[in-house]
């Protein structure tokens, strides 16, 4: 059966359009490529549309105003992958929705772009093929390359094609002439059309049509044809997957590695092909077909609806008590049956896998963005999902381009990094690789190669040697495989209206193999002292630090200064698209200053440069676009590189200035007595000026609209701070990493906002309690409720007033009562905690404070918080497992400092905890602390 047709119709399509439409109606192929069609951008495309097919034209229609290749394809069977169609090529890439099959239609015209040669034109098309073949395993390429295989004068093109076929194990299925033309009474024949494929079992038939001198190529593809008009949903079938099966199939399909060739691209292609081939066999793509899009009701509901309609008519005619009672009875039965059916559907979704469970819960809570067939951008026009993906792609790219044009940075010429001596310490050993694979998170999204992290974990015993050779070849050559540099960018909603593109940020999903290699590089970089690598003030993306430690450090500085009756002047600096503006050449400068090996620096530089990406919006892919700057949001290595990039912040603001950073958020403060307040403001102005000047030098842009300034412990008229060209007025509160700090350092505002957020969830949590088991409901509580309730609780929870503490306790017990279905208030609070195995607010607060104290005391990082805490500690030689602390506060506000609270926290721990390991300490503490503390 013909699934794909390719036909060079010869100089124009309009006169042959009726013939092509007849071909679509009679043969009914899934794909029909027509080349040499000569469609102008000014032409109305409506005449080419055909029922049941989507129309696709090559990207030259928009770039040069003319397309010479189009395709009709069945949208229920294929989707277009515009991200793999390089600019200037007459190429259309289609991906099967059922299998991993990729069908590529191509045409190479004789007419060249200005400044091009025939060879450069051909090489550009070959680069497009290599991009596709590097990214996918099962590929079929059909088209007309205008390369006569029988002409020795075109051997240079023929050799390149043969090299491509040998490299990617392709078969050429066309062996006879495909072009026949009578010239001056002589029949001229040539082999111009091609069908290259890596898929076994394909067949090609050549059919003659008098309307062209090219034969029609009828290709049979390995696809199950479904009846048209049905709605289909594809899914990956993991029912027959097992670790043993994937290892066995991988070893069968792996072609081996030539140890004398250390080209990372070839090695990566060999490994990836075997993995994808094994996945295609053992984890096939399947689909569910729904015959129509109308909602399916049970026969019982349909019957009751008909009864209700008849009862309503009877009541409106007679208006008697008996007819009204009958109508109410049927309505009640219909409501009961509808609820029952709805609960059955929800229960079916909740009993699925973990991903399906959370997807259903999010939808029930109204948090999930459903897939949309339409979308709005700034002009409020409804646009197609494929257009949306390109709108996102253009917006993200143009935003960075515009920011780059408006910013200037210092110039640094990268020295020659090649030719540096091999250092054995730079290479990866088996132990490091096993550690990196174990650190992979199975929950993370996969790249466009569709290889999940859990598969690589299962393949670990048989793939380690192959990955070692690949990774060490990368370090040896300094070359990252091209397939790793392609990012599948997913727009993630930040805030505001979900229908506005400007309210989304890009997150990259990259190859799982790339993540393993990045993790190995990160582990090597972390051999350098973290304080030297990132600076003591940075709390993001490093072991032993978090938003909690950052907020505790800020709280300690403010409370201790206020305890001394000093004023604290604090301003926050927020950066615009900080991760996207990282300059690779300036990062190299920082890495050289840190004495990082040039061999590793070359690998990192290659990782950051030459990257491309495409936006995936609800399964619709945009064009492929270059990414010249940035550190790849969503990668393992990117955040570490960003920390290194901004590590000089403390030296810029000065050692006498307090500074805390969390990624691109920076908080700078100085303390001052009231008489010296004006001088301190001038000093902070100078620090802010130096900070902005340094940001400009490294190519970053300060977002002054989010810059805030607060004077803690000051009750006078508003103060002003100059940041760049803007004057910032002091306010009474500031939000630091999600925590509300007020100028008098009370926590009433934060308590009010937290309780408001949690109260909004209580109704949905009660609704979910009717569908979920107690264990499932507890999982939802921890994920959606307690994560908000106890966020950074060591900072503020023990500093609440008595009234606010009671409000938190009441709200927590209300939610625990929901979990126990105790709607009649039968059980006491202690009994509810025992029944649900959930803790009261006071119990969790006690646990979190003790855990944080133990964590800071055993933390090896030299952060400001750990240093201050250990200065206030006292160890007893007679009691080696005893550690006590000093409270040097003189006022109530000083006792809110965690350092000063540590004495009370330590004394509340009913066992000798120093120096216990984290796991042992947490287990012992949980077993001793009651679930309910009044």
């Amino acid at each position: 059966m013909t699934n794909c047709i390719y036909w060079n119709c010869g100089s124009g399509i309009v006169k042959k359009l009726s013939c092509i439409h007849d071909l679509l109606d009679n043969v009914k192929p899934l794909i029909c490529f027509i080349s040499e069609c000569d469609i102008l951008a000014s032409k109305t495309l409506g005449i080419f549309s055909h029922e049941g097919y989507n129309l696709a034209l090559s990207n030259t229609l928009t770039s040069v105003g003319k397309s010479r290749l189009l395709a009709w394809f069945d949208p229920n069977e294929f989707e277009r992958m515009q991200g793999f169609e390089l600019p200037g090529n007459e190429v259309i890439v289609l991906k099967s929705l059922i299998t991993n099959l990729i069908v590529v239609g191509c045409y190479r015209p004789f007419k060249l772009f200005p400044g091009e040669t025939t060879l450069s034109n051909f090489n550009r098309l070959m680069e497009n093929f290599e991009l596709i073949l590097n990214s996918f395993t099962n590929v079929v390429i059909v088209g007309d390359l205008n390369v006569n295989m029988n002409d020795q004068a075109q051997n240079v093109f023929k050799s390149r094609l043969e090299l491509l076929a040998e490299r990617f194990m392709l078969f050429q299925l066309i062996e006879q002439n495909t072009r026949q033309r009578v010239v001056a009474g002589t029949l001229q024949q040539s082999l111009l059309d091609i069908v290259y494929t890596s898929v076994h079992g394909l067949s090609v038939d050549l059919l003659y049509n008098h309307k062209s001198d090219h034969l029609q190529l009828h290709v049979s593809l390995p696809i199950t044809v479904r009846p048209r008009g049905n709605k289909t949903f594809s899914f990956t079938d993991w029912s027959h997957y097992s670790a043993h099966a994937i290892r066995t199939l991988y070893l069968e399909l792996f072609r081996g590695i030539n140890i004398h060739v250390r080209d990372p691209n070839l090695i990566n292609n060999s490994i990836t092909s075997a993995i994808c081939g094994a996945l295609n066999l053992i984890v096939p793509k399947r689909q569910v077909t729904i015959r129509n899009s109308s909602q399916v009701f049970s026969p019982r509901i349909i019957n009751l609806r008909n009864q209700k309609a008849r009862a309503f008519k009877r009541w409106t005619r007679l208006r008697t008590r008996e007819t009204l009672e009958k109508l109410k009875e049927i309505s009640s039965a219909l409501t009961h049956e509808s609820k029952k059916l709805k609960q059955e559907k929800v229960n079916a979704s909740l009993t699925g896998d973990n991903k399906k469970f959370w997807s259903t819960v999010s939808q029930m809570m109204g948090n999930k963005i459903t897939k949309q067939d339409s979308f709005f951008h700034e002009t409020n026009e409804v646009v197609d999902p494929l257009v949306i993906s390109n709108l996102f792609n253009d917006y993200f790219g143009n935003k960075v381009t515009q920011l780059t044009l408006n910013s200037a940075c210092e110039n640094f010429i990268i020295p020659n990094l090649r030719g540096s001596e091999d250092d054995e310490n730079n290479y990866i050993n088996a132990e490091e690789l096993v550690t990196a694979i174990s650190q992979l998170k199975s929950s993370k999204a996969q790249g466009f190669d569709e290889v999940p992290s859990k598969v690589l974990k299962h393949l670990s015993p048989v793939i380690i040697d192959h990955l070692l050779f690949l990774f060490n070849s990368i370090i040896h050559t300094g070359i990252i495989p091209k397939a790793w540099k392609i990012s599948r960018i997913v727009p993630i909603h930040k805030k505001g209206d979900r229908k506005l593109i400007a309210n989304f940020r890009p997150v990259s999903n990259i190859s799982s193999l790339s993540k393993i290699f990045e993790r190995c590089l990160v582990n090597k970089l972390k051999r350098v002292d973290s304080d030297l690598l990132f600076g003591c003030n940075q709390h993001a993306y490093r072991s032993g630090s978090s938003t909690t430690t950052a907020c505790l450090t800020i709280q300690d500085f403010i409370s201790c200064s206020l305890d001394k009756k000093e004023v604290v002047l604090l301003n926050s600096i927020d950066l615009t698209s900080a991760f996207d503006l990282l300059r690779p050449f300036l990062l190299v400068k920082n890495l050289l200053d840190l004495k990082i090996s040039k061999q590793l620096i070359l690998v990192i530089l290659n990782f950051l440069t030459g990257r491309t990406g495409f936006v995936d919006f609800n399964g619709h892919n945009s064009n492929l676009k270059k990414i010249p700057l940035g550190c790849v949001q969503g990668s393992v290595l990117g955040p570490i590189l960003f920390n290194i990039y901004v590590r000089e912040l403390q030296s810029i603001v000065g050692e006498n200035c307090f500074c805390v950073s969390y990624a691109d958020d920076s908080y700078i403060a100085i303390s001052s007595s009231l008489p010296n307040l004006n001088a301190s403001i001038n000093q902070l102005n100078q620090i802010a000026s130096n900070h902005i000047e340094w940001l400009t030098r490294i190519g970053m842009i300060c977002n002054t609209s989010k810059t805030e300034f607060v004077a803690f412990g000051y009750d006078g008229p508003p103060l002003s701070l100059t940041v760049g060209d803007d004057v910032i007025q002091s306010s009474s509160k500031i939000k630091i990493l999600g925590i509300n700090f007020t100028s008098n350092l009370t926590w009433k505002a934060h308590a009010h906002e937290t309780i408001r957020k949690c109260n909004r969830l209580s109704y949905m949590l009660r609704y979910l309690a009717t569908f979920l088991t107690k264990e499932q409901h507890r999982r939802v509580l921890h994920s959606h409720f307690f994560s908000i309730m106890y966020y950074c609780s060591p900072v503020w929870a023990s500093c609440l007033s008595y009234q606010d503490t009671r409000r938190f306790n009441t709200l927590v017990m209300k939610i625990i009562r929901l979990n126990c279905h105790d709607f009649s208030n039968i059980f006491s609070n202690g009994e509810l905690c025992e029944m649900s195995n959930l803790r009261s607010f006071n119990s969790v607060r006690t646990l979190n404070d003790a855990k944080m104290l133990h964590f800071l005391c055993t933390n090896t990082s030299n952060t400001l918080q750990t240093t201050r805490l250990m200065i206030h500690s006292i160890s007893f030689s007679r009691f080696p497992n005893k550690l006590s602390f000093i409270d040097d506060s003189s006022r109530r506000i000083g006792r809110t400092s965690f350092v000063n609270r540590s004495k009370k926290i330590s004394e509340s721990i009913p066992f000798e905890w120093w120096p216990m390991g984290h796991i042992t300490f947490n287990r012992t503490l949980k077993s001793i602390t009651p679930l309910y503390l009044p």
Side-chain angles (χ1 to χ4, degrees):
M1 178 181 289
T2 297
N3 302 120
C4 176
I5 293 177
Y6 181 93
W7 185 33
N8 184 324
C9 67
S11 292
I13 189 178
V14 176
K15 293 182 179 180
K16 308 175 181 68
L17 198 56
S18 60
C19 173
I20 295 171
H21 284 177
D22 291 339
L23 185 68
L24 295 174
D25 290 332
N26 296 327
V27 181
K28 296 181 179 178
L30 301 180
I31 306 171
C32 181
F33 293 105
I34 304 295
S35 64
E36 209 168 308
C37 52
D38 296 327
I39 297 178
L40 301 177
S42 58
K43 188 180 291 293
T44 303
L45 300 181
I47 62 173
F48 302 106
S49 61
H50 195 81
E51 185 178 358
Y53 289 90
N54 279 5
L55 180 67
L57 292 98
S58 61
N59 58 38
T60 57
L61 186 70
T62 55
S63 59
V64 298
K66 181 179 182 179
S67 174
R68 306 204 72 189
L69 177 70
L70 65 77
W72 287 277
F73 65 95
D74 186 346
N76 293 322
E77 295 284 348
F78 286 89
E79 65 174 344
R80 188 174 181 184
M81 306 284 287
Q82 279 189 301
F84 294 90
E85 301 169 10
L86 296 183
N89 289 330
E90 300 284 355
V91 169
I92 296 176
V93 182
L94 301 175
K95 180 181 179 182
S96 171
L97 295 173
I98 307 170
T99 65
N100 284 336
L101 181 69
I102 302 294
V103 181
V104 182
C106 62
Y107 175 69
R108 189 180 71 87
F110 288 109
K111 189 174 181 180
L112 306 177
F113 288 115
E116 264 194 340
T117 64
T118 305
L119 183 59
S120 65
N121 174 274
F122 182 80
N123 288 338
R124 189 183 68 223
L125 188 60
M126 291 299 103
E127 289 175 3
N128 207 152
F129 290 164
E130 289 174 357
L131 169 67
I132 297 167
L133 293 165
N134 272 319
S135 307
F136 304 99
T137 305
N138 301 322
V139 180
V140 179
I141 302 175
V142 299
D144 177 9
L145 302 182
N146 277 314
V147 176
N148 188 355
M149 299 296 184
N150 302 327
D151 187 357
Q152 293 184 356
Q154 299 190 37
N155 277 347
V156 60
F157 304 116
K158 183 180 177 181
S159 300
R160 179 71 186 270
L161 283 170
E162 290 174 348
L163 183 63
L164 183 78
E166 180 181 358
R167 176 181 173 186
F168 294 100
M169 301 292 289
L170 303 178
F171 310 96
Q172 163 64 295
L173 301 184
I174 301 294
E175 297 180 354
Q176 65 187 79
N177 295 321
T178 59
R179 177 178 176 274
Q180 301 177 359
R181 175 184 292 182
V182 177
V183 179
T186 304
L187 178 65
Q188 296 182 355
Q189 301 186 30
S190 55
L191 200 166
L192 293 182
D193 300 324
I194 55 98
V195 177
Y196 280 99
T197 180
S198 59
V199 182
H200 294 277
L202 266 68
S203 62
V204 180
D205 294 324
L206 304 179
L207 300 181
Y208 174 76
N209 190 303
H210 68 281
K211 290 185 177 291
S212 173
D213 55 358
H214 280 256
L215 302 180
Q216 290 179 2
L217 310 184
H218 287 237
V219 186
S220 62
L221 303 176
I223 300 176
T224 304
V225 182
R226 298 191 302 272
R228 300 183 190 279
N230 291 345
K231 211 167 186 179
T232 59
F233 301 91
S234 61
F235 70 100
T236 306
D237 184 4
W238 289 86
S239 58
H240 299 292
Y241 175 83
S242 67
H244 174 73
I246 194 69
R247 291 170 192 163
T248 303
L249 281 173
Y250 170 78
L251 292 175
E252 289 178 2
L253 297 175
F254 183 62
R255 300 196 300 263
I257 297 174
N258 185 352
I259 61 173
H260 301 293
V261 178
R262 305 200 70 169
D263 183 355
N265 287 291
L266 295 178
I267 303 168
N268 177 65
N269 181 61
S270 179
I271 296 173
T272 306
S273 298
I275 297 174
C276 293
L279 282 174
N280 290 340
L281 293 173
I282 198 172
V283 188
K285 292 275 188 179
R286 303 196 186 280
Q287 70 283 341
V288 176
T289 304
I290 299 178
R291 293 187 179 277
N292 54 63
S293 58
S294 61
Q295 190 175 2
V296 179
F297 298 99
S298 70
R300 170 72 173 159
I301 288 181
I302 295 174
N303 186 27
L304 286 171
R305 283 190 168 183
N306 293 334
Q307 289 184 36
K308 182 179 179 181
R310 291 193 296 269
F312 180 76
K313 287 181 180 179
R314 186 174 178 81
W315 175 76
T316 55
R317 188 174 70 252
L318 301 176
R319 297 283 180 173
T320 62
R321 182 182 182 86
E322 290 77 11
T323 56
L324 180 60
E325 292 297 330
K326 186 64 176 178
L327 178 60
K328 287 182 178 180
E329 180 185 346
I330 296 174
S331 297
S332 178
L334 178 59
T335 302
H336 175 74
E337 194 66 28
S338 299
K339 286 183 178 180
K340 181 180 176 183
L341 180 62
K342 183 176 181 181
Q343 187 157 354
E344 288 175 356
K345 290 182 177 180
V346 173
N347 289 337
S349 300
L350 293 172
T351 54
D353 58 14
N354 196 49
K355 185 176 181 180
K356 193 174 182 181
F357 171 82
W358 287 112
S359 175
T360 304
V361 169
S362 296
Q363 287 179 1
M364 294 173 71
M365 298 191 71
N367 295 334
K368 187 170 180 62
I369 307 174
T370 56
K371 291 190 176 182
Q372 304 173 30
D373 294 327
S374 61
F375 196 84
F376 291 91
H377 54 81
E378 287 78 356
T379 60
N380 288 329
E381 297 176 355
V382 182
V383 289
D384 183 75
L386 182 60
V387 179
I388 297 169
S389 63
N390 282 298
L391 285 173
F392 271 118
N393 199 23
D394 294 339
Y395 174 77
F396 293 147
N398 294 339
K399 180 180 178 182
V400 174
T401 302
Q402 191 63 39
L403 290 173
T404 306
L405 292 175
N406 294 335
S407 66
C409 62
E410 65 176 294
N411 190 24
F412 174 74
I413 300 175
I414 300 176
N416 183 22
L417 300 174
R418 295 191 179 274
S420 55
E421 295 183 2
D422 272 357
D423 186 350
E424 292 183 0
N425 294 324
N426 293 334
Y427 289 99
I428 300 166
N429 56 43
E431 183 180 352
E432 292 173 334
L433 182 56
V434 170
T435 301
I437 294 176
S438 66
Q439 291 174 332
L440 273 180
K441 295 182 179 178
S442 301
S443 60
K444 294 298 183 181
Q446 58 205 27
F448 73 94
D449 59 359
E450 298 184 352
V451 178
S453 299
K454 72 173 184 179
V455 172
L456 294 177
K457 287 187 173 183
H458 293 161
L459 284 171
S460 177
V462 298
I463 206 174
I464 282 182
D465 291 338
H466 309 153
L467 293 183
L468 274 177
F469 188 79
L470 169 62
F471 292 174
N472 288 328
S473 296
I474 293 173
I475 293 174
H476 177 74
T477 60
I479 298 174
I480 299 290
K482 291 181 180 179
W484 291 6
K485 294 186 177 186
I486 303 173
S487 301
R488 181 171 69 92
I489 301 171
V490 179
I492 302 297
H493 180 253
K494 292 189 298 184
K495 60 181 179 180
D497 189 353
R498 295 179 186 271
K499 292 183 179 180
L500 294 178
I501 289 178
N503 292 334
F504 288 75
R505 65 182 176 90
V507 172
S508 300
N509 293 327
I510 57 178
S511 166
S512 298
L513 288 179
S514 176
K515 291 178 183 177
I516 298 175
F517 178 72
E518 291 172 44
R519 177 59 62 186
C520 292
L521 278 185
V522 168
N523 292 339
K524 286 191 175 294
L525 289 175
K526 285 186 176 180
R527 291 176 181 175
V528 182
D529 180 60
S530 61
D531 297 326
L532 179 64
L533 200 65
F534 308 137
C536 297
N537 63 300
Q538 181 62 259
H539 288 255
Y541 314 120
R542 59 185 297 186
S543 177
S545 297
S546 62
T547 54
T548 305
T549 60
C551 289
L552 278 177
T553 305
I554 296 171
Q555 181 208 29
D556 257 8
F557 177 77
I558 297 172
S559 59
C560 292
S561 297
L562 296 185
D563 191 62
K564 301 174 185 176
K565 299 183 179 181
E566 294 179 337
V567 176
V568 176
L569 305 174
L570 182 143
N571 79 293
S572 66
I573 296 292
D574 183 79
L575 305 182
T576 301
S577 300
F579 285 78
D580 296 326
L581 294 179
L582 180 143
R583 269 57 169 190
F585 59 90
L586 291 181
L587 176 66
V588 169
K589 178 183 178 183
N590 281 357
L591 292 171
L592 289 171
D593 292 341
L594 289 169
K595 309 299 181 184
I596 304 295
S597 169
K598 290 184 178 180
Q599 200 171 16
L600 293 181
I601 295 177
L602 181 62
V603 174
I604 293 171
L605 180 62
N606 195 271
F607 172 78
L608 292 176
T609 54
R611 300 195 68 90
T612 55
F614 63 92
V615 172
D616 179 353
F617 178 79
N618 292 345
H620 297 81
N621 299 326
S622 70
N623 297 322
L624 203 65
K625 182 169 283 190
K626 293 182 179 179
I627 305 175
L629 303 176
C631 59
V632 195
Q633 294 188 62
S635 70
V636 177
L637 186 59
I640 306 300
L641 298 181
F642 181 81
N643 278 359
I644 296 174
Y645 193 71
V646 296
R647 58 181 288 271
E648 297 178 339
L649 176 59
Q650 185 66 65
S651 61
I652 296 299
V653 300
E655 295 297 331
N656 297 326
C657 179
F658 173 83
C659 176
V660 166
S661 297
Y662 192 89
D664 58 334
D665 294 325
S666 301
Y667 304 92
I668 299 171
I670 56 175
S671 59
S672 167
S673 60
L674 274 174
N676 298 325
L677 189 58
N678 291 331
S680 297
I681 291 176
N682 293 333
Q683 181 185 352
L684 192 59
N685 278 328
Q686 184 59 46
I687 292 171
S689 175
N690 295 339
H691 191 181
I692 298 298
E693 182 183 348
W694 171 71
L695 289 175
T696 304
R697 288 205 310 269
I698 64 174
M700 295 291 167
I701 299 175
C702 175
N703 187 357
T704 53
S705 64
K706 293 185 179 180
T707 298
E708 296 179 276
F709 171 47
V710 178
F712 291 91
Y714 175 74
D715 297 328
L719 304 174
S720 60
L721 179 72
T722 303
V723 178
D725 297 329
D726 297 319
V727 177
I728 311 298
Q729 297 293 326
S730 62
S731 60
S732 59
K733 63 179 180 179
I734 182 174
K735 181 167 280 191
I736 299 176
L737 301 175
I739 305 295
N740 286 298
F741 282 69
T742 56
S743 59
N744 56 357
L745 211 62
T746 59
W747 302 101
K748 195 170 188 64
H750 181 74
H752 176 75
E753 183 176 342
T754 303
I755 290 174
R756 180 181 58 83
K757 288 180 180 178
C758 293
N759 268 324
R760 287 168 55 188
L761 296 172
S762 61
Y763 173 78
M764 293 308 304
L765 293 173
R766 177 166 185 152
Y767 173 67
L768 285 171
T770 61
F771 292 97
L772 306 177
T773 64
K774 287 186 178 181
E775 179 58 36
Q776 289 174 332
H777 196 252
R778 275 197 296 271
R779 292 170 61 193
V780 175
L781 290 181
H782 284 295
S783 174
H784 288 272
F785 181 81
F786 293 133
S787 60
I788 298 174
M789 171 72 72
Y790 299 123
Y791 175 69
C792 290
S793 63
V795 179
W796 53 268
S798 296
C799 308
L800 295 174
S801 65
Y802 175 75
Q803 290 81 3
D804 287 335
T805 303
R806 284 193 61 183
R807 292 174 65 196
F808 275 97
N809 267 317
T810 302
L811 179 56
V812 170
M813 293 315 303
K814 172 185 173 182
I815 298 301
I816 294 177
R817 197 173 296 277
L818 290 180
N819 182 256
C820 297
H821 295 262
D822 181 27
F823 304 116
S824 302
N825 296 339
I826 298 173
F827 302 101
S828 66
N829 290 342
E831 290 172 331
L832 289 172
C833 291
E834 293 293 337
M835 291 168 58
S836 64
N837 197 29
L838 293 172
R839 296 182 176 273
S840 66
F841 177 77
N842 285 335
S843 178
V844 175
R845 179 174 65 177
T846 303
L847 277 178
N848 289 347
D849 284 352
K851 287 179 182 178
M852 180 54 63
L853 176 65
H854 180 268
F855 178 77
L856 291 175
C857 290
T858 56
N859 186 19
T860 56
S861 295
N862 188 27
T863 60
L864 295 175
Q865 186 68 11
T866 304
T867 304
R868 286 200 66 241
L869 185 64
M870 297 314 293
I871 289 174
H872 283 65
S873 66
I874 304 173
S875 58
F876 300 94
S877 58
R878 293 177 59 188
F879 305 100
N881 293 334
K882 185 77 172 175
L883 190 67
S884 186
F885 299 89
I886 302 172
D887 178 1
D888 61 359
S889 61
S890 59
R891 306 169 64 198
R892 181 201 59 79
I893 199 166
R895 289 192 289 276
T896 62
S897 163
F898 188 83
V899 169
N900 292 329
R901 281 188 279 131
S902 58
K903 183 176 187 293
K904 183 178 179 180
I905 296 170
S906 177
E907 291 173 351
S908 67
I909 302 176
F911 58 91
E912 295 180 348
W913 55 273
W914 170 262
M916 264 188 185
H918 289 299
I919 297 176
T920 306
F921 175 80
N922 293 343
R923 188 186 298 120
T924 307
L925 187 66
K926 280 186 177 181
S927 63
I928 292 177
T929 307
L931 292 173
Y932 176 72
L933 287 176

